[in-house]
Amino acid sequence: MTALANFVMRGRYQALLVAVAGSGSFLFCWISAAVVALVTLRQGAASGAWLLMWAVLPAGVLAVVFGDSGPLQVLLGTAALAFVLRVTVSLATTLLAAVAVGFISGVLALLLAEPLLQQLVSLFGEFLTNMEQQLSQGDETVTLTRPTVTQVAGMMGVGTAMLSVLCVLLARYWQAALYNPEGFGKEFRALRYPAGVATALVLAALGLASLGQEMRTWAVICALPLSFAGLALMHARAAAQGQGSGYLAVFYTAWVLFDPVKLFVMGFAIADSWIDFRSRWVKASDPGRPERDDD
């Protein structure tokens, strides 16, 4: 993948080729979005906007002809986050901006893509019907809750925000690999939120979830920054303990498969906003290190 980034940075037309080639496909739009983000981070907003202008054409055709606005939303969301990262030079701020990207994407889906949402609701309904038939035995009938249009729109918002963040992180990794080796790892491991921000995100998520079943998918959008902060904390823990990629592979497998692990990671990030585990790990690994005045 670094070779692809190197090819892209050889010139604007190489970047244009890669960005346009993948932007009309949901399978490869993430590559195009990451390329737009890389150019924005390295060369500035003007160069990124020029590339985005061409990349959105195939994605726009896909949205108009087939009603699939996913690639277009990922491109625009990633470009917006890349601009925020370019201006603020802060992953924490960029991830907070992803919350806005998720909500805007979900609201636009409700306003402009109701036929697509209805199709997705029908597909979910058919899938759940098959699941009910397989789970039901004898006189015992299993009934699964069907998602609503509002819930599916929230899912789309979560998906767009998540993919946009991942594309920006990939672009930042490419930038560091080409121009500042190991810089991305240090930057990501330092990702942390102050207690006030973490508390506000938790309260927003709980407030949305309390509005009912339909809003729980929207609440997940508010939890995204804390999820990534928790993942960054796990990487920092692995680095402090000298644990290799094998440990992280096992952790990510558990994180993907088990929801309690996801909740634990978020809880770890919330606790870190108050306790600052990283400074404690540094002291534990270097007992002779002098304490700071604010320790």
Side-chain angles (χ1 to χ4, degrees):
M1 293 297 289
T2 305
L4 177 62
N6 190 36
F7 173 78
V8 166
M9 297 310 295
R10 290 179 183 174
R12 68 181 339 195
Y13 292 107
Q14 287 88 335
L16 178 64
L17 173 64
V18 177
V20 172
S23 62
S25 167
F26 192 79
L27 290 177
F28 301 105
C29 67
W30 59 274
I31 297 178
S32 297
V35 167
V36 171
L38 173 61
V39 172
T40 301
L41 293 176
R42 182 62 184 176
Q43 300 179 354
S47 296
W50 178 84
L51 190 61
L52 177 66
M53 177 184 67
W54 291 103
V56 297
L57 294 179
V61 170
L62 189 67
V64 172
V65 176
F66 299 100
D68 184 1
S69 61
L72 180 61
Q73 292 184 27
V74 172
L75 274 170
L76 295 176
T78 302
L81 296 185
F83 176 75
V84 172
L85 182 56
R86 167 82 182 188
V87 172
T88 64
V89 198
S90 169
L91 282 180
T93 304
T94 303
L95 288 172
L96 289 178
V99 175
V101 168
F103 277 106
I104 291 172
S105 176
V107 171
L108 289 178
L110 280 174
L111 296 177
L112 305 176
E114 186 174 353
L116 175 62
L117 294 177
Q118 293 289 357
Q119 291 178 5
L120 292 174
V121 169
S122 298
L123 289 175
F124 278 121
E126 294 175 2
F127 173 76
L128 292 175
T129 299
N130 292 332
M131 289 289 294
E132 289 172 344
Q133 293 173 353
Q134 295 176 9
L135 295 174
S136 298
Q137 297 179 353
D139 295 334
E140 295 184 4
T141 302
V142 175
T143 302
L144 301 175
T145 303
R146 267 61 175 169
T148 65
V149 168
T150 302
Q151 284 178 294
V152 174
M155 294 179 192
M156 293 182 67
V158 173
T160 299
M162 175 74 78
L163 282 175
S164 298
V165 169
L166 292 175
C167 289
V168 168
L169 292 179
L170 176 59
R172 183 67 188 92
Y173 166 77
W174 280 344
Q175 183 187 26
L178 293 176
Y179 307 105
N180 181 25
E182 299 184 4
F184 172 73
K186 295 178 181 178
E187 184 178 6
F188 182 69
R189 289 191 294 271
L191 176 61
R192 177 177 177 268
Y193 285 103
V197 175
T199 301
L201 290 171
V202 171
L203 291 177
L206 292 176
L208 286 170
S210 68
L211 296 178
Q213 185 76 22
E214 283 193 334
M215 299 304 296
R216 290 180 183 175
T217 53
W218 294 80
V220 176
I221 299 174
C222 296
L224 284 179
L226 294 175
S227 295
F228 280 98
L231 295 176
L233 188 59
M234 296 303 297
H235 278 261
R237 174 68 175 174
Q241 296 295 317
Q243 295 166 321
S245 58
Y247 164 81
L248 291 174
V250 172
F251 162 72
Y252 273 106
T253 301
W255 183 80
V256 171
L257 295 178
F258 304 110
D259 287 340
V261 177
K262 297 182 179 69
L263 294 176
F264 168 78
V265 168
M266 279 197 297
F268 203 20
I270 295 168
D272 179 60
S273 68
W274 294 88
I275 299 173
D276 191 3
F277 291 113
R278 292 173 182 83
S279 63
R280 295 172 180 266
W281 295 335
V282 170
K283 292 177 185 178
S285 62
D286 186 9
R289 174 179 173 267
E291 292 190 356
R292 300 175 306 185
D293 293 338
D294 58 346
D295 284 344

